[in-house]
Amino acid sequence: MSAAPRLTGGTGSAPRPARIAVIGAGPGGLYFAALAKQLAPDRELTVFERDGREHESGFGVVFSDETLDGIARADPRVFAAISAEFARWSDIDVRYAGEVRTSGGHGFAALDRNRLRAILQRRCAELAVDVRYRTPAPPVDRLAAEYDLVVAADGIHSGTRAAHPESFRPELDERHCRYMWLATDKVFEAFTFIVERYDFGVLQVHAYPYSATRSTFIVEAAADAWRRAGFEALAAPESARGESDLASVRRCAELLAGHLDGHRLIPDASRWIRFTTVRNASWRHRNVVLLGDAAHSAHFSIGSGTKLALEDALALAAALGEQPTLEGALAAYEAERRPVVESTQRAAQASLEWFETIGRRTGQGVDTFALNLLTRSRRVTYGNLGARDPAFVAAVDATAGGPPGVPPMFRPLKLAALELRNRVVVPPLATFTSPDALPSGFDRAQLTGHALGGAGLVLAGMTAVGPEGRATDHCPGLWSDRQEAAWRELRAAVRAVSDTPVGIQLTHAGRRGATTAPGPDGIGRPLADGWPLIAPSAIPWDPDSPVPHEASEIQLAAVTADFAAAAERAGRAGFDALELQFGHGHLLSTFLSPLTNHRTDHYGGPLAHRLRLPLEVLTAVRAAWPPGRPLLVRVSASDWAPGGTTEDEAVAICRALAGAGADAVDVSTGEVVAHQRPPYGRGYQTPFAELIRTATGLPTVAVGAISGHDDANSVLAAGRADLVAVGRAQLYDPLWTLHAAAEQGHTGPGARWPEPWRAGSRRPPGPNADRVAPRLHLLREPPAPVHRRWSPPLTEE
């Protein structure tokens, strides 16, 4: 759940500090100055701005309802002035493949950035703020010595930030796409995404109206498409401040003429740039504090940097009034704003990366593509869109061919010859309850519970193919007759109460073996009397782990035979599906990754050699596993470490797996090396499932922090994966799938309640469930229209 921005200003005790300098008279700097002066009229506020008062730059600013609520409460006069000039609409148009799809119910308000700046200039003048135009700020250290507080609102290329990198510790992530800010005198009626395919690649546009006569028009292209389109040759290598790349502007107008309807593109210091995400470990240096883009930035595809700057300004001004000391105020400001900003940046990063890789999706149908685009940041979801505009989601569902009214997660899927009643997979969830390497009573209880819980497929794991392939000394195996009999008995017990398909994951842990069961921190420690470990190369998991032996060809042949024998036993035990663990740093995973495979024989070196053992294992298992039963392979599509598996290699690996007989790929990431740095977050691994699905045509399972049914539906409806694996949420609630059906009001065959539990298939009533609210309005207000277009007011001649 993302944090919400502050919506009201503070009214605390006597304000401190008394003298404040602000660097930069953009909207963020001016708004802070106005609020800080308003809260403490005796406070001395000086704003330094290198440009003139009348200098204009930029185009439209988009506001959220949250931010507008905050402005309305903090300064009603400013709110009244800006709201009088808003362009308002609720629709989003997606123009793609010669068609348009519209999603309504969103709600937008936009304003000319220069008008916003003029309104804030006027407000500062009313409050007697000393704004010094055409006056570059003195060096920040001099200001810090002369003033009690220095607020640096000096933008994404902040000189203040650069002056003290040791305190702010900035991280500047410059991305690959090229984009150009423009305006047009075509007034769009809605937020409009234009996606056009050319022989050079894809060109995309983010456009929205911001006045009665203008719209913002941002043109964006991936780096390779930008070069092939000839823009690199057109762009001047150096340009003066304020100068536009007019040749590129003309080229954009030519390429996008069909969307401009004879209108012109209007440049304003418009040239090709790459977006830089700004993050700082700290926003404070003594009595200097960063605000807006100087402190953080978020990609323009999910909102406005000006919006974030205004929220910063409100929070900082309020903290100065609420806290008794400057140090406390700056700490409170950052503590309040950082979670909000980081939440926004996570959504922005997902959106940014979606547009960087838009070419993966341009083979999708129009409806699915539109939903994929709208849900790209993970903030807008399938359910969210359905609540805003039911007709839009119904059209997407109809195109997908699913039964009407059936949520995507409850649509059936045929995997090999196995019919799954829905798209939910319970992934292998290790219990570490098998000191004798046999499936335990807890394994039986867990698998039975999950089979009764409504998922389409349940997988048991981690199951070792040999004694030295166990991850821990409490993991089960499948290498002996006794183990086979135990698994057969367990499978029969589950089948006696549920017809849910149950599969098993087979693995050899390799260098990640011979540890204790994980403790509270989730980490297992090397066993004092562990067994010998093998790996492609003699590289330990981490400095505290034992060094594995470089496996000989004889040992590798034995591993292949062990996998085939275990697969045959799994088939006889009655499992409906089989998954091979080729990810997460287990043995086969370490052969695939260049970080862990340093061999010089035909099992190491180029990818084709690193694939040799995994393909030998898969081929042997395919021959041993009964035809028609699904065979899945789990992979780590990224190592999250420099020099690791690339996206191109991940695609090549999965293509090879498909060629060797894999029916689907369970697309995970990471856990290959201990020094990984994954960007943990909701659905953070799903883009890799989409990559593999699009590039190879293989059915994929999306995994990783998918815990809500709305996220599951979003992944499936957008075509990012064919199945979703829900792990930790299943541990929290083994009936997760059935409860998800109840919450969505779905009672179809994809959500089959066990007969003894059918009476509990409806959500129990909560407090006040039987209360009926009385009528309190003489005249009911009509509901807000789903679709609202921007139609500028008519002006008299």
Side-chain angles (χ1 to χ4, degrees):
M1 182 176 179
S2 63
R6 177 192 289 271
L7 298 182
T8 58
T11 59
S13 59
R16 297 182 185 86
R19 302 183 71 242
I20 301 175
V22 180
I23 305 174
L30 291 172
Y31 188 49
F32 165 77
L35 292 177
K37 189 72 170 178
Q38 179 179 305
L39 288 174
D42 293 337
R43 181 179 279 152
E44 179 185 332
L45 267 145
T46 307
V47 181
F48 295 90
E49 171 56 49
R50 66 180 178 180
D51 291 321
R53 179 187 178 91
E54 306 304 323
H55 176 79
E56 294 192 351
S57 66
F59 304 109
V61 177
V62 180
F63 293 94
S64 68
D65 289 340
E66 272 185 332
T67 306
L68 292 176
D69 286 344
I71 295 173
R73 290 180 173 90
D75 194 328
R77 295 183 67 172
V78 168
F79 177 75
I82 64 176
S83 60
E85 301 190 26
F86 278 149
R88 289 186 179 273
W89 70 96
S90 67
D91 281 354
I92 299 177
D93 289 347
V94 179
R95 299 187 178 192
Y96 164 73
E99 299 186 52
V100 180
R101 293 293 183 270
T102 299
S103 171
H106 297 275
F108 296 97
L111 178 70
D112 186 331
R113 183 180 185 275
N114 295 300
R115 287 296 305 137
L116 172 63
R117 188 164 171 261
I119 290 167
L120 293 172
Q121 286 173 339
R122 185 168 63 245
R123 185 62 173 141
C124 284
E126 291 170 355
L127 294 165
V129 173
D130 180 10
V131 184
R132 301 178 183 179
Y133 293 100
R134 301 189 188 281
T135 307
V140 66
D141 289 341
R142 187 195 306 171
L143 285 177
E146 296 175 0
Y147 288 84
D148 300 323
L149 172 64
V150 179
V151 178
D154 51 349
I156 201 163
H157 301 295
S158 170
T160 305
R161 189 180 63 229
H164 288 286
E166 75 290 345
S167 293
F168 299 120
R169 302 191 300 285
E171 176 190 331
L172 307 179
D173 179 15
E174 188 177 51
R175 304 303 295 191
H176 312 297
C177 279
R178 301 302 202 280
Y179 70 99
M180 179 184 289
W181 284 86
L182 297 160
T184 175
D185 54 5
K186 172 174 178 166
V187 182
F188 286 89
E189 296 180 349
F191 208 118
T192 303
F193 291 101
I194 300 168
V195 180
E196 284 287 358
R197 289 177 286 184
Y198 302 91
D199 55 358
F200 57 77
V202 176
L203 205 61
Q204 62 240 24
V205 174
H206 314 246
Y208 56 87
Y210 64 84
S211 75
T213 58
R214 295 281 173 94
S215 299
T216 296
F217 198 86
I218 308 169
V219 185
E220 186 180 24
D224 54 350
W226 177 79
R227 292 189 188 94
R228 288 195 296 265
F231 286 118
E232 184 176 35
L234 292 175
E238 297 291 339
S239 57
R241 181 171 180 260
E243 196 173 292
S244 294
D245 179 358
L246 297 179
S248 289
V249 175
R250 287 191 293 270
R251 173 76 165 141
C252 287
E254 293 168 2
L255 290 168
L256 297 163
H259 299 281
L260 291 169
D261 301 326
H263 292 270
R264 62 196 174 105
L265 291 181
I266 304 167
D268 179 4
S270 301
R271 57 187 183 276
W272 293 109
I273 52 178
R274 294 190 289 175
F275 188 81
T276 299
T277 299
V278 175
R279 300 179 179 90
N280 286 279
S282 173
W283 298 353
R284 296 168 283 149
H285 169 72
R286 298 175 184 166
N287 65 333
V288 178
V289 65
L290 304 179
L291 184 148
D293 281 351
H296 48 71
S297 64
H299 194 251
F300 53 82
S301 60
I302 65 108
S304 162
T306 300
K307 165 193 174 300
L308 289 176
L310 296 182
E311 292 174 359
D312 282 357
L314 192 156
L316 179 56
L320 292 172
E322 292 170 345
Q323 300 298 322
T325 67
L326 176 61
E327 181 180 357
L330 298 188
Y333 157 68
E334 184 168 348
E336 179 178 323
R337 286 297 296 159
R338 184 176 286 278
V340 179
V341 167
E342 289 179 349
S343 172
T344 301
Q345 287 185 318
R346 284 192 294 272
Q349 189 72 11
S351 181
L352 176 157
E353 292 175 0
W354 193 94
F355 281 109
E356 282 189 335
T357 58
I358 196 170
R360 295 177 187 171
R361 303 163 189 92
T362 50
Q364 289 185 318
V366 178
D367 294 283
T368 303
F369 179 87
L371 187 136
N372 200 327
L373 186 152
L374 293 172
T375 59
R376 67 195 180 279
S377 73
R378 305 172 199 145
R379 280 192 166 179
V380 176
T381 62
Y382 173 88
N384 186 278
L385 289 172
R388 297 180 186 194
D389 188 349
F392 172 79
V393 170
V396 175
D397 288 346
T399 302
V406 176
M409 64 184 288
F410 291 111
R411 296 171 191 163
L413 177 71
K414 188 172 184 180
L415 196 60
L418 182 65
E419 299 280 353
L420 303 181
R421 69 171 65 101
N422 63 52
R423 305 298 183 96
V424 181
V425 176
V426 179
L429 299 169
T431 65
F432 306 108
T433 56
S434 303
D436 54 3
L438 294 171
S440 67
F442 197 93
D443 285 320
R444 176 183 294 198
Q446 177 169 283
L447 289 172
T448 303
H450 286 146
L452 291 169
L457 175 65
V458 176
L459 295 174
M462 300 174 294
T463 308
V465 299
E468 295 179 355
R470 289 174 294 162
T472 78
D473 56 355
H474 280 64
C475 287
L478 189 47
W479 64 80
S480 71
D481 292 344
R482 187 180 175 207
Q483 291 165 334
E484 181 182 331
W487 281 114
R488 184 185 301 111
E489 194 273 332
L490 184 156
R491 179 67 190 98
V494 175
R495 188 178 283 117
V497 297
S498 172
D499 62 354
T500 296
V502 176
I504 191 169
Q505 184 193 71
L506 300 179
T507 189
H508 188 299
R511 70 175 189 165
R512 297 203 65 183
T515 72
T516 63
D521 59 0
I523 299 173
R525 268 65 184 183
L527 292 168
D529 54 350
W531 49 87
L533 303 180
I534 62 169
S537 303
I539 305 171
W541 163 252
D542 63 22
D544 297 327
S545 299
V547 178
H549 300 287
E550 182 173 305
S552 68
E553 292 199 25
I554 293 174
Q555 289 174 310
L556 298 183
V559 166
T560 301
D562 287 344
F563 268 96
E568 191 170 355
R569 290 183 184 278
R572 291 197 298 261
F575 285 103
D576 304 289
L578 184 69
E579 178 171 278
L580 302 180
Q581 174 60 288
F582 284 10
H584 291 184
H586 286 222
L587 181 64
L588 280 303
S589 171
T590 52
F591 271 85
L592 291 170
S593 173
L595 295 177
T596 51
N597 186 344
H598 296 175
R599 296 174 76 101
T600 57
D601 63 4
H602 58 288
Y603 285 103
L607 179 59
H609 290 185
R610 303 199 307 271
L611 266 165
R612 188 182 301 272
L613 179 65
L615 293 180
E616 288 175 352
V617 168
L618 178 55
T619 300
V621 167
R622 181 78 273 180
W625 181 242
R629 299 191 204 178
L631 177 53
L632 296 80
V633 181
R634 173 169 281 216
V635 299
S636 287
S638 172
D639 299 338
W640 299 119
T645 300
T646 66
E647 289 188 355
D648 287 345
E649 287 179 326
V651 168
I653 288 168
C654 293
R655 283 201 181 110
L657 297 177
D663 295 308
V665 181
D666 191 345
V667 187
S668 187
T669 63
E671 299 189 48
V672 178
V673 292
H675 60 277
Q676 65 175 2
R677 292 188 63 191
Y680 292 118
R682 213 173 101 246
Y684 74 103
Q685 298 181 109
T686 300
F688 293 94
E690 184 177 24
L691 166 67
I692 300 303
R693 184 179 192 264
T694 302
T696 68
L698 264 177
T700 60
V701 184
V703 307
I706 298 171
S707 56
H709 60 76
D710 201 9
D711 284 340
N713 285 327
S714 298
V715 168
L716 296 166
R720 298 183 179 112
D722 302 273
L723 295 151
V724 291
V726 180
R728 288 180 184 267
Q730 293 278 0
L731 296 177
Y732 177 76
D733 177 10
L735 271 66
W736 182 89
T737 306
L738 294 178
H739 289 159
E743 289 171 8
Q744 295 173 82
H746 176 67
T747 58
R752 190 183 306 164
W753 280 79
E755 195 59 38
W757 292 351
R758 187 167 295 280
S761 61
R762 292 187 179 181
R763 196 171 190 174
N768 296 319
D770 59 346
R771 180 180 182 272
V772 179
R775 173 191 283 268
L776 298 175
H777 297 88
L778 179 61
L779 298 175
R780 296 188 189 276
E781 293 184 7
V786 171
H787 296 289
R788 180 178 178 182
R789 316 287 284 183
W790 170 235
S791 181
L794 297 175
T795 57
E796 296 182 3
E797 293 292 336

